[in-house]
């Protein structure tokens, strides 16, 4: 099962690459879900006999985090739906999608993998992760390329509604797990918890399920999502994603259906949604919108059946789950063919499509007949079963006789809108856009035919359908009259009469729908959603108008004041003792403290930006000196390198800004408030540090690291912690660094300057030549700057030092496991080497030094670190586990290699890539930026002088 998830991810990632070379060969992508269908088929005999398959991946054993997967009868049923419909939809994309096929196929396949993980998950947290990933995939697929306003709006609405429901559901699942004492779903089902907390958890979980499965009044996002391409609607919003909420209800119902709020909620919401949405479907003129409201109606029916808590209802729900996936996906795909060939899907414009496309009419009518519940189709089997469930529901459904009448009404409306779909889409004589429509290719219609034919096969072969659906239904005790069995003929029974009544009423409603009185207008949930979003926007504007005033000092003052008031008050109220710390450990520390404090005080009084930056760097170097004195050379080295890189990057940024700080004087009272806030926070942090150190009673977390260092093959405790003991933290941190770099580059490039003058100063006047100005251009990037801004000494020194600095960075990388250094320090040193090349030769010389794009270097580093952490799983180890390997190369003797070095190489590459990314953003044009900065500085000085006058 883990392999199936990995296969989906791997193929989805590589699709955009090979699809550009293989054309529109989407059928290759369909092989992955087809393989899942075959794999599930090989496991079916054991599962249908009551067995199950389990797999588990230990992620963080100390935290109890494991990826638990389980294949049972319900998972098998859902797996066939997800993979089977997914394969057919991908084959359909070959004819439907005209451009950007690779992207759509990749996201659809990724979604299929996420749904596979969701239905196999046996841990509430794993289920929630896959649950939210389906939301993300749905957002991407609905939004498309992001160019269309309606698509963006619908994607945002689906994201907000389903994510909010998912967060509510997560709280309920956590409460349920805490009450049960386990977060494994199968364990919760085997021994259901009791108590008031469970009732509250049930309500929260059901709200999340209702939002995901578009139950009223949380259904508005599904009709809005019909702006997505038809394959997306057929797969996500008919066959797969919206089934997630139904699946969760079906999964938990055997254990929780008797909890007080469960059954009233699922029955009331389910049948109300069924009838109200069916009525809306009857009034729709857009075929996709008709099917969307029909989907909401049938999802309501599934919620009521699978949440009712009886065997017959569960059997009917499982059958309808299969039936709905087949007929609704088929009908959506048929609408896509009509839209592609006729150019419209409006019932008022379509006429005669049945005569132009007889094969499509036949298969669509077959699917619509299954939706209406005509024999011998699988929809008829499900309809008979759910009438039986509620007509003879036993003690669990006692007092709910009204449900039978509501189900009859909902089923009749289903028949009516099924008939309206067929007549509206295919009836009449060919005219308008249909008259010139071309007949679709056989491959275009084939997926529709397979899905519609599946409804017939599952109906005629009801014994196989009964085996598949009954395996799940048997988790419930049989009804009062024994277990109900699926059959096309049970004799002349009241259930048969109800089924015939729904068909008759449905046909009458369809024929007389124009004469029907207007039903009471239901609340417009779309308008309610729009008003809620608009109110939130207005509130945000009102709040930010008073809080976001564009003053960074004000923001910092507010943040510092909050720190003082909240944790500061708690610290003072606790009256905790700071202990008796030593003033210093070494006589050098007071000297370093004076340097740091003097530099910090000088920063406050500086008026030039560069001066302030250099003084801030002096503070950092002084702190690095403290680390060195305290016996932490690794930390000192990293601090020195970070400060140096920060100085270089910020200086490059300062080239775009005036040399002086903004003109004008700040009021004395304001400066006093800022000084008090800053000083108070410094006292608070110092006091908190001393109190925290004195309050320790348990051994330090790192106390056992020294004893276990031999297992890693390392001698440096710092590097061992980074790449072995706390490697997961490191992986998260480098991911954050990469995300932050991408964000910073995006912000820097917003409103970036265009090409400017090639002159070296204001007004186009070249600066005075210097003694070391090169007489000719010999570096690739030398033409970026005028001669006066070049220095032959720096250009030659950079070329000579560059290889040596790179060798030093590699030495730090590979020696970090045994002494000061490591991937982060080595990457910073290499980054400084590339900075030197940039300063000497510009962007062109930097490109000559490193051929790969910065994003590729950084991405390769993150990928290498992730793969290095996952490889131990293939050998039965834990994630990010390191092993010492002893090699015996010729002439070198025994060489020990810790596999964590590959993780460190990934860190090394990522840091280099981030540095290159920042250089590409802040280093636009050296000469241009200097000229513009000088001009801006001159303008500022003039403004200051005028203000003084």
């Amino acid at each position: 099962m883990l392999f199936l998830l990995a296969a989906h991810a791997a193929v989805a990632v590589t699709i955009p690459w090979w699809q550009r070379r293989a054309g529109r060969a989407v059928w290759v992508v369909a092989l992955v879900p087809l393989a899942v269908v075959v794999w599930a088929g090989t496991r079916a005999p054991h599962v249908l006999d009551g067995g199950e398959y389990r797999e588990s991946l230990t992620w963080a054993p100390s935290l109890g985090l494991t990826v638990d997967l389980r294949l049972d009868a319900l998972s098998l049923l859902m797996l066939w739906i997800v993979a089977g419909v997914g394969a057919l939809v991908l084959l359909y994309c070959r004819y439907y999608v005209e451009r950007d096929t690779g992207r759509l196929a990749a996201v659809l396949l990724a979604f299929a993998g996420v749904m596979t993980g969701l239905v196999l998950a046996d841990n509430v947290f794993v289920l929630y992760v896959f649950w939210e990933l389906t939301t993300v995939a749905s957002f991407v697929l609905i939004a498309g390329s992001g160019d269309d306003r309606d698509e963006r709006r619908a994607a945002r609405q689906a994201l907000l509604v389903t994510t909010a429901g998912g967060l509510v559901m997560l709280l309920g699942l956590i409460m349920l797990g805490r009450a049960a004492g386990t977060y494994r779903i199968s364990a919760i089902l085997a021994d259901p918890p009791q108590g008031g907390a469970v009732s509250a958890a049930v309500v929260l979980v059901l709200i999340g399920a209702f939002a995901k499965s578009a139950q009223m009044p949380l259904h508005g996002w599904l009709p809005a999502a019909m702006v997505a391409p038809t394959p997306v609607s057929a797969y996500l919003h008919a066959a797969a994603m919206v089934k997630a909420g139904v699946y969760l209800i079906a999964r938990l119902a055997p254990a929780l259906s008797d909890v007080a709020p469960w059954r009233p909620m699922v029955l009331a919401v389910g049948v109300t949604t069924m009838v109200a949405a069916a009525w809306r479907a009857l009034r729709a003129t857009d075929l996709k919108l008709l099917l969307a409201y029909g989907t909401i109606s049938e999802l309501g029916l599934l919620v009521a059946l699978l949440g009712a808590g009886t065997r017959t209802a569960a059997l009917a729900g499982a059958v309808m789950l299969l039936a709905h996936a087949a007929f609704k996906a088929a009908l959506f795909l048929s609408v896509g063919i009509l839209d592609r060939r006729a150019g419209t899907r409006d019932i008022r414009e379509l006429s005669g499509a049945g005569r132009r496309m007889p094969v499509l009419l036949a298969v669509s009518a077959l699917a619509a007949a299954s939706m209406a519940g005509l024999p011998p189709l699988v929809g008829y089997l499900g309809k008979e079963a759910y009438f039986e469930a509620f007509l003879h529901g036993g003690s669990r459904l006692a007092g709910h006789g009204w449900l039978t009448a509501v189900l009859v009404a909902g089923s009749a409306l289903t028949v009516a809108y099924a008939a309206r779909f067929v007549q509206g889409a295919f009836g009449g004589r060919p005219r308008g856009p249909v008259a010139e429509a071309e007949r679709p290719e056989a491959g275009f219609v084939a997926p529709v035919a397979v899905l519609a034919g599946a409804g017939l096969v599952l109906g005629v072969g009801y014994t196989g359908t009964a085996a598949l659906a009954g395996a799940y239904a048997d988790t419930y005790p049989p009804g009062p009259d024994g277990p109900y069995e699926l059959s096309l003929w049970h004799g002349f029974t009241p259930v048969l009469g109800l089924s015939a009544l729904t068909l008759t009423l449905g046909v009458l409603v369809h024929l007389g729908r124009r004469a029907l009185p207007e039903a009471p207008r239901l609340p417009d949930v779309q308008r309610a959603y729009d008003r809620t979003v608009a109110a939130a926007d207005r509130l945000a504007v009102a709040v930010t108008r008073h809080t976001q005033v564009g003053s960074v000092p004000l923001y910092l003052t507010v943040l510092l004041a909050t720190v003082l008031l909240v944790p500061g008050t708690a610290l003072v109220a606790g009256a905790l003792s700071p202990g008796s710390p030593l003033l210093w450990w070494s006589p050098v520390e007071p000297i370093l403290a004076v340097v740091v404090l003097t530099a910090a005080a000088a920063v406050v009084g500086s008026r030039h930006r560069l001066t302030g930056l250099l003084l801030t760097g002096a503070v950092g170097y002084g702190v690095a000196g403290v680390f060195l004195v305290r016996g932490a050379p690794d930390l000192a080295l990293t601090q020195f390198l970070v400060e140096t890189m920060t100085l270089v990057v910020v200086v490059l940024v300062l080239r775009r800004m005036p040399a002086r700080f903004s003109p004008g004087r700040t009021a004395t009272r304001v400066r006093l408030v800022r000084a008090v806030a800053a000083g108070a926070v410094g006292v608070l942090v110092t006091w908190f540090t001393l109190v925290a150190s004195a309050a320790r009673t348990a051994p330090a977390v790192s106390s056992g690291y020294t004893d276990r260092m031999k297992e890693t093959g390392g001698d440096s405790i710092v590097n061992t912690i980074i790449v072995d003991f706390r490697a997961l933290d490191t992986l998260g941190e480098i991911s954050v660094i990469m995300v932050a770099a991408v964000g910073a580059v995006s912000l820097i490039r917003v409103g970036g300057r265009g090409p400017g003058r090639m002159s070296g100063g204001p007004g186009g006047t070249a600066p005075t030549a210097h003694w070391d100005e090169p007489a000719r251009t010999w570096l690739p990037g030398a033409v970026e700057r005028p001669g006066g801004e070049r220095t032959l000494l720096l250009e030659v020194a950079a070329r000579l030092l560059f290889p040596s600095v790179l060798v030093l960075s590699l030495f730090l990388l590979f020696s970090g496991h045994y002494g000061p250094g490591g991937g982060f320090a080595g990457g910073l040193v290499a980054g400084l080497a590339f900075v030197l090349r940039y300063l000497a030769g510009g962007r062109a010389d930097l490109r000559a030094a490193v051929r790969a794009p910065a994003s590729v270097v950084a991405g390769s580093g993150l990928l290498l670190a992730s793969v290095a952490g996952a490889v131990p799983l293939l050998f039965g180890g834990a994630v990010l586990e390191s092993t010492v390997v002893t090699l015996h190369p010729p002439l070198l003797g025994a060489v020990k290699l810790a596999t964590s070095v590959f993780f460190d190489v990934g860190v090394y590459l990522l840091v280099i890539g981030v540095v290159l990314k920042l250089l590409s953003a802040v280093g636009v044009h050296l000469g241009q930026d200097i000229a513009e900065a000088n001009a801006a500085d001159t303008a500022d000085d003039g403004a200051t002088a005028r203000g003084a006058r």
Side-chain angles (χ1 to χ4, degrees), residues 805-821:
V805 178
L806 284 184
V807 171
L808 175 61
S809 73
L810 293 174
F811 171 78
L812 293 173
L813 166 64
F814 291 106
S815 67
H817 216 48
Y818 312 101

Side-chain angles (χ1 to χ4, degrees), residues 657-678:
M657 304 175 68
R660 293 176 177 271
F661 288 107
S662 301
R665 294 184 176 276
T666 306
T668 304
R669 183 178 58 182
V670 175
R671 294 173 64 87
L672 181 61
V673 170
R674 294 176 184 173
V676 171

